[in-house]
Amino acid sequence: MQHTQTTVLLINATHPEPPVIEHAAALLRAGELVIFPTETVYGLGADTLQPHAVQHIFTTKERALSDPLIVHIADEAALEALVTDVPAQARQLTHAFWPGPLTLVLPASSRVPKLVTAGLDTVAIRMPRHPVALALIRAAGVPVAAPSANRFMHVSPTTAQHALADLNGRVPLVLDGGPCAVGVESTVLDLCSETPTILRPGGVSLEALRSVLPNVQFSVREPSHLQEGQKAPGQLLVHYAPKVPAFLFDGPVEAMRKAILAEVEQRQARGEHVGVLIADEDFAAFQGSGACIYRLGSTLEQVASRLFAGLRVLEESGVNIILCRSFEAQGLGLAIRDRLLKASGGNVVSL
Ligand code: AMP
Ligand code: MG
């Protein structure tokens, strides 16, 4: 792949500097790629309506062409041009959750290039809440197609440094607006099936969606059926994998702690370097264990925001295995479980 000089520009996350935004927007209009912060993760953006620019996203990420992109907009009026119909349910949801980490799958209009939707007749659309993302989309004046700014199959980036670690030398510009607040990707909700269905749990919880549409459905993807009945290509089993193998321990908190500690001891006795991804409440139990510890925090919000950083820090720390605890399947916990299941590629120890 051709080497491009990557410029990193710091940008104020709450009051983005207009000249910086204008520079980035001009690149997008010229068919170039820009990495920018959103409230979920960093995105690798291109003008949705220029197939050549969209093609560039796939080559830059080494992403499979069968994996469709999310289109980002800055106002609801932009929706009309991208879809053939805005169902009443969509209006209710956008009213409640946009701007925010909710992506809606709607019937695509003919204006949306087939590359964006991976040939599907539906398109995934969201309005991000991050001031930099909103300002950039507005200034560009086009819908911005943007997957996460990581190499395909790697962990999503929640800082500009993560994005650079994967894509430095492949894009002309990175806007560095600091760490992403939510830290897991958006919830993808399919409004084209008979019942609104969550295709990917994310930053808007199932409970919150049901408070607006009580019939929203989500079938918990347990490890045994991760590969069956994939509706969206993004639901590949290994999608967010770190570079070293990860194991997920699932069960009551005390049992998880004991099992992870026992595994740490066994592996260290064999000379292995072990990383553990735990909550603050587990820390005392692991102090002095000799494991490389990454603390995710004490609330689900903190855990979500630090999860991907934790996986990256541990994989760079020289450990040869990462042991993770699981979290309750409530609120943001559903998205956290989903990412941990994917990171562990089905290596789950059920207790
Ligand atoms: P990413 O932006 O890389 O986090 O991934 C976007 C995800 O959105 C994809 O991997 C799919 O799971 C989902 N997605 C995008 N477009 C569609 C669509 N038309 N139908 C269903 N899911 C979609
Ligand atoms: Mg992604």
Side-chain angles (χ1 to χ4, degrees):
M1 162 143 212
Q2 221 185 330
H3 184 85
T4 310
Q5 181 72 35
T6 302
T7 302
V8 181
L9 292 178
L10 291 180
I11 189 157
N12 188 303
T14 47
H15 297 92
E17 295 82 352
V20 180
I21 288 292
E22 195 38 61
H23 175 62
L27 282 173
L28 288 177
R29 284 193 300 267
E32 301 276 359
L33 303 186
V34 174
I35 292 177
F36 63 98
T38 80
E39 75 276 25
T40 59
V41 301
Y42 272 73
L44 172 66
D47 175 359
T48 304
L49 304 177
Q50 295 185 49
H52 183 76
V54 174
Q55 170 72 49
H56 215 136
I57 289 179
F58 287 94
T59 45
T60 300
K61 281 195 63 153
E62 298 170 35
R63 182 177 172 112
L65 284 168
S66 57
D67 204 0
L69 305 177
I70 294 173
V71 176
H72 296 71
I73 58 176
D75 55 76
E76 260 194 76
L79 203 51
E80 316 292 338
L82 298 168
V83 302
T84 56
D85 178 39
V86 183
Q89 290 179 329
R91 294 276 180 222
Q92 284 173 273
L93 292 167
T94 59
H95 184 73
F97 300 110
W98 278 9
L102 175 66
T103 296
L104 299 178
V105 174
L106 294 164
S109 81
S110 56
R111 283 192 78 202
V112 182
K114 283 289 173 198
L115 258 178
V116 173
T117 64
L120 298 172
D121 52 15
T122 56
V123 59
I125 304 177
R126 104 171 172 102
M127 189 192 296
R129 171 165 80 207
H130 198 294
V132 171
L134 285 172
L136 177 62
I137 299 161
R138 257 185 220 122
V142 293
V144 175
S148 48
N150 52 282
R151 297 260 186 119
F152 190 50
M153 304 292 261
H154 195 209
V155 180
S156 290
T158 52
T159 65
Q161 290 69 36
H162 295 163
L164 277 169
D166 281 17
L167 302 177
N168 193 16
R170 295 179 174 220
V171 290
L173 181 65
V174 178
L175 296 181
D176 182 354
C180 302
V182 177
V184 289
E185 301 88 340
S186 60
T187 302
V188 179
L189 184 73
D190 185 5
L191 287 181
C192 294
S193 51
E194 214 154 286
T195 317
T197 305
I198 292 180
L199 301 178
R200 173 178 80 182
V204 172
S205 71
L206 173 62
E207 295 89 338
L209 289 174
R210 281 189 177 152
S211 74
V212 176
L213 295 184
N215 63 338
V216 168
Q217 65 173 25
F218 173 63
S219 44
V220 180
R221 285 149 15 96
E222 287 308 328
S224 55
H225 28 95
L226 272 177
Q227 265 166 331
E228 294 164 20
Q230 287 178 14
K231 165 101 191 189
Q235 296 183 315
L236 291 169
L237 176 56
V238 183
H239 191 69
Y240 299 85
K243 292 176 195 159
V244 293
F247 277 79
L248 178 62
F249 288 73
D250 192 19
V253 174
E254 268 307 320
M256 278 192 300
R257 271 186 211 140
K258 271 177 96 172
I260 297 176
L261 272 171
E263 187 75 23
V264 168
E265 268 177 36
Q266 273 184 26
R267 288 182 177 269
Q268 284 181 339
R270 298 202 296 260
E272 289 187 39
H273 296 290
V274 185
V276 293
L277 209 51
I278 55 170
D280 284 358
E281 59 171 8
D282 309 313
F283 184 60
F286 285 86
Q287 249 180 329
S289 67
C292 186
I293 300 172
Y294 191 93
R295 289 166 65 157
L296 291 167
S298 53
T299 63
L300 290 175
E301 282 70 24
Q302 288 171 349
V303 172
S305 72
R306 296 182 196 171
L307 182 61
F308 291 149
L311 287 167
R312 281 180 182 259
V313 165
L314 288 179
E315 73 177 16
E316 296 303 332
S317 71
V319 300
N320 36 34
I321 185 143
I322 300 172
L323 308 178
C324 317
R325 66 159 276 176
S326 62
F327 294 86
E328 69 258 34
Q330 271 177 16
L332 268 180
L334 221 53
I336 294 166
R337 282 180 76 86
D338 174 82
R339 304 310 186 270
L340 285 170
L341 276 172
K342 285 171 176 165
S344 60
N347 296 329
V348 180
V349 180
S350 297
L351 301 161

